[in-house]
């Protein structure tokens, strides 16, 4: 009998990648205390860009 995969795909990473493609100007990168690059989306910049698009 086949074993079941008991994990769901990480939709957060998929959604982040889609937003990076659509709104690359809203992506920020910083380096944490361990030297790891941390990517995030600047919410204020994203709101501003969406405001301009939806006028």
């Amino acid at each position: 009998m086949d074993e079941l995969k008991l994990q769901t795909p990480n939709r957060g990473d998929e959604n982040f990648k889609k937003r990076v493609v659509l709104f690359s100007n809203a992506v920020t990168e910083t380096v944490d205390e361990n030297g790891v690059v941390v990517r995030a989306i600047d919410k204020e910049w994203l709101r501003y860009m969406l405001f301009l698009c939806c006028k």
Side-chain angles (χ1 to χ4, degrees):
M1 189 154 98
D2 294 332
E3 291 186 26
L4 297 176
K5 294 181 181 179
L6 300 177
Q7 294 179 334
T8 58
N10 187 346
R11 302 279 185 215
D13 287 342
E14 293 174 18
N15 289 335
F16 184 82
K17 288 176 186 176
K18 290 177 186 177
R19 286 181 179 87
V20 167
V21 171
L22 293 172
F23 304 104
S24 59
N25 291 342
V27 177
T28 61
E29 290 185 352
T30 58
V31 179
D32 68 2
E33 62 275 356
N34 298 323
V36 178
V37 176
V38 178
R39 296 175 69 184
I41 294 182
D42 184 349
K43 293 181 206 175
E44 293 300 319
W45 185 250
L46 182 59
R47 284 183 193 157
Y48 175 72
M49 292 176 70
L50 290 172
F51 175 75
L52 290 178
C53 291
C54 298
K55 266 185 152 180

